[in-house]
Amino acid sequence: MCGHPSTSRIASTIGTFCRVKQECINCDFQRIWSSQPFIKNVPAGNLLLSAAILMSGSSVTKSLRLFSHLKMVAICRKTFNEHQKMYLLPSIRQVWRNHQEKAITNLKEDESVVLGGDGRADSPGHSAKYGSYTMMDLKLNKIIEIQIIQSNEVGSSYHMEKEGLIRAVNFLKENNIAISTLVTDRHCQIKKWVRENLPDTKHKFDLWHIAKGVSKKLEAVAKLVSGKDVKPWIHSISNHMYWCATSTVDGDGKMMLAKWKSVGQHIQNIHTGHSDVFKECEHGELQGRERKKKWMTTGSAALLKTLDVINNPRLCKDIVMMSEKYQTSRLEAFHSTLNHFAPKMTHFSYWGQTCRTFLAGLHYNENSDREQAITAEGKERFCVAFPKFKHGGYSVKKVYKDPTYDYVDEIIHLVVAFCQEGNKKPLQETPGALCSEFIHPEKDEAVAQHSSRFC
Ligand SMILES: [Zn+2]
């Protein structure tokens, strides 16, 4: 014995008393490993260490290196992989399914189901191996379905988003959920598929994605010499788009489009006689910065280029489909959570990626309705941030209460139960590896060829 401490010994010593909270932690898991060092011949501390690494969304390599630098005896990668395969991944999938079942039961009581859908690739560019497609109940802000697609299942990574949507919709159909409204981005394949396959579903587009596209085009116009008069209007035109949708509470697409097109006249200081549907601007007397802004000159090259962007036929078709109430920004927030559990550019096995995505779903659903934190004086807490896009400007943000991790306790209880049963049930049904279709050379031959080339 070299005298180096082991992870389980240290954890059972320091873990029972928290110096920060100054209280004993009456933790089930420490009771498990202090009273029961082995669960069916599996060292309990080691199993729980593997579980803790995975549940915290940590990198296994980095976590084990941390113990190595501390000269602490810990498990090796092979042991972690064994624990993950036999107990952790099956437990995560089971807990996700249990939670999902409850969410689906609640959704069945809703007569007009409003879902948001969005895809995420596991790496930037067009070389992603995995794609996930997530469906969120936008009324309750809860993830209800996640599909993972490996690129070779659909030919290439380009088709993963559509396939994810198809599988998610099929899953909901099997569970007798009819989607009343679906909010997505403007992805062409998605638009076409929903139009052809979900005739009873209202398909609407997220505002942020449309506004971002328009702002980009106007910024390109503003960079031209003749387009510099456009720059002061970009922000207003983008804001106008949000107003067109959110002020049309009945979601009437024709009215949204008429409102949108009126901005082409407004920027020329024309505020009446827009169209039969939307006759005149509703802003009343202009105040402050809006009143002082220089109007665009009728017939100028800058104006004509701006009108080309505003009246673009493809954009106008999408304006009619803008979502007046529910947006997909919370799905973007979920993707940030997912980045924590399954960072882009880090490679995981198929079930590793899938279950880390389920973990992100469980974490999001448990913490999506956190209350705002309160100061010691009983006031609501805020913080001031300086986001880069504001170029020196600031934003005031609410500070929320700390997240909770009840789902982790639930999963670890199941891990211990699976281990106690001695029932090893690794997850099956993985799509073949991306390289499975390639010709595999004999390793010795490949090494010999490589050496002769570089000698
Ligand atoms: Zn006006």
Side-chain angles (χ1 to χ4, degrees):
M1 286 288 284
C2 62
H4 288 152
S6 73
T7 48
S8 50
R9 199 185 331 147
I10 286 193
S12 61
T13 313
I14 61 170
T16 47
F17 188 79
C18 173
R19 289 180 192 280
V20 179
K21 292 185 181 170
Q22 290 290 300
E23 63 186 17
C24 284
I25 302 169
N26 186 15
C27 170
D28 281 357
F29 310 133
Q30 270 138 34
R31 239 185 290 138
I32 291 167
W33 83 39
S34 54
S35 66
Q36 193 185 346
F38 289 90
I39 309 167
K40 284 267 177 174
N41 297 331
V42 177
N46 291 352
L47 180 62
L48 296 176
L49 176 62
S50 297
I53 291 173
L54 184 58
M55 303 311 142
S56 59
S58 304
S59 146
V60 184
T61 312
K62 287 181 185 172
S63 303
L64 297 181
R65 196 178 299 147
L66 181 147
F67 292 123
S68 157
H69 290 338
L70 282 168
K71 308 290 182 207
M72 286 170 74
V73 179
I75 54 173
C76 63
R77 178 74 192 230
K78 199 176 160 197
T79 307
F80 173 86
N81 287 346
E82 178 76 5
H83 290 159
Q84 175 172 260
K85 186 173 152 194
M86 296 301 172
Y87 309 112
L88 307 183
L89 299 181
S91 306
I92 294 169
R93 184 171 72 162
Q94 187 60 51
V95 171
W96 165 251
R97 284 187 172 169
N98 296 347
H99 280 244
Q100 188 183 32
E101 210 172 296
K102 282 181 205 160
I104 294 281
T105 309
N106 290 339
L107 206 58
K108 281 181 182 164
E109 288 168 17
D110 189 346
E111 284 176 1
S112 67
V113 174
V114 181
L115 299 184
D118 199 12
R120 178 231 192 219
D122 73 331
S123 65
H126 300 283
S127 59
K129 180 178 178 186
Y130 303 113
S132 61
Y133 198 86
T134 308
M135 287 280 208
M136 178 185 272
D137 177 349
L138 294 180
K139 288 183 181 171
L140 296 178
N141 188 20
K142 300 286 176 206
I143 307 288
I144 54 154
E145 168 64 347
I146 299 171
Q147 288 285 341
I148 303 291
I149 302 97
Q150 190 171 292
S151 62
N152 63 345
E153 290 181 87
V154 286
S156 77
S157 58
Y158 180 70
H159 302 285
M160 292 194 295
E161 183 158 350
K162 184 178 134 192
E163 180 64 20
L165 170 73
I166 295 171
R167 291 185 193 179
V169 167
N170 287 343
F171 169 81
L172 294 169
K173 273 186 187 165
E174 282 162 20
N175 284 280
N176 301 316
I177 303 284
I179 310 170
S180 173
T181 304
L182 177 66
V183 186
T184 67
D185 59 15
R186 302 157 72 197
H187 198 292
C188 308
Q189 287 183 330
I190 301 286
K191 202 160 124 181
K192 186 166 179 278
W193 189 86
V194 174
R195 190 176 63 235
E196 291 171 356
N197 296 280
L198 298 176
D200 299 327
T201 299
K202 278 185 210 157
H203 188 199
K204 301 206 170 191
F205 294 136
D206 174 67
L207 285 178
W208 181 82
H209 285 94
I210 305 181
K212 190 181 154 202
V214 170
S215 294
K216 266 190 174 177
K217 283 185 180 163
L218 291 175
E219 272 157 22
V221 172
K223 279 181 187 157
L224 303 171
V225 180
S226 60
K228 63 181 189 310
D229 295 346
V230 182
K231 199 159 187 191
W233 286 103
I234 297 177
H235 192 61
S236 306
I237 293 173
S238 171
N239 278 351
H240 177 73
M241 180 176 283
Y242 283 87
W243 176 82
C244 292
T246 54
S247 64
T248 314
V249 285
D250 60 357
D252 179 0
K254 278 185 187 167
M255 176 57 88
M256 287 185 198
L257 183 60
K259 285 177 176 175
W260 168 246
K261 287 193 167 181
S262 74
V263 78
Q265 292 203 286
H266 172 89
I267 57 179
Q268 303 174 61
N269 199 15
I270 302 167
H271 308 283
T272 55
H274 299 322
S275 65
D276 291 343
V277 183
F278 184 68
K279 291 190 171 59
E280 56 186 30
C281 295
E282 290 182 2
H283 48 66
E285 198 175 330
L286 291 165
Q287 305 287 329
R289 220 189 294 171
E290 285 299 311
R291 192 165 59 92
K292 289 176 192 161
K293 205 183 283 179
K294 193 179 165 226
W295 300 108
M296 293 190 76
T297 314
T298 306
S300 68
L303 177 74
L304 293 177
K305 284 194 169 69
T306 307
L307 292 180
D308 279 350
V309 175
I310 293 171
N311 298 322
N312 175 293
R314 191 172 159 244
L315 172 69
C316 290
K317 276 187 189 170
D318 292 349
I319 293 281
V320 175
M321 294 168 75
M322 287 194 299
S323 177
E324 72 282 5
K325 187 172 179 186
Y326 296 103
Q327 311 300 337
T328 60
S329 54
R330 283 162 166 180
L331 272 166
E332 306 287 339
F334 168 68
H335 286 160
S336 301
T337 307
L338 185 48
N339 285 344
H340 169 81
F341 286 94
K344 288 192 178 196
M345 310 303 289
T346 305
H347 177 260
F348 300 104
S349 65
Y350 175 79
W351 281 113
Q353 178 80 20
T354 303
C355 289
R356 280 174 179 259
T357 312
F358 290 162
L359 274 175
L362 288 164
H363 181 87
Y364 185 91
N365 283 355
E366 185 171 323
N367 291 288
S368 61
D369 299 323
R370 268 184 295 154
E371 288 172 11
Q372 194 171 354
I374 304 290
T375 63
E377 295 79 37
K379 289 181 181 170
E380 289 175 328
R381 281 185 65 190
F382 290 94
C383 70
V384 176
F386 294 86
K388 205 176 165 197
F389 73 89
K390 287 216 167 180
H391 306 292
Y394 65 86
S395 306
V396 175
K397 289 181 175 176
K398 287 180 181 177
V399 175
Y400 292 95
K401 287 183 178 172
D402 289 339
T404 57
Y405 301 91
D406 292 350
Y407 66 95
V408 173
D409 293 2
E410 216 175 309
I411 294 168
I412 295 184
H413 274 118
L414 200 57
V415 167
V416 172
F418 278 172
C419 193
Q420 270 164 344
E421 286 167 17
N423 198 3
K424 294 182 176 181
K425 282 184 189 165
L427 300 175
Q428 306 289 342
E429 312 140 26
T430 58
L434 290 191
C435 62
S436 59
E437 296 149 20
F438 305 154
I439 298 165
H440 284 57
E442 287 297 326
K443 194 176 170 186
D444 290 345
E445 210 178 293
V447 172
Q449 266 190 12
H450 173 85
S451 305
S452 65
R453 212 180 303 155
F454 292 102
C455 273

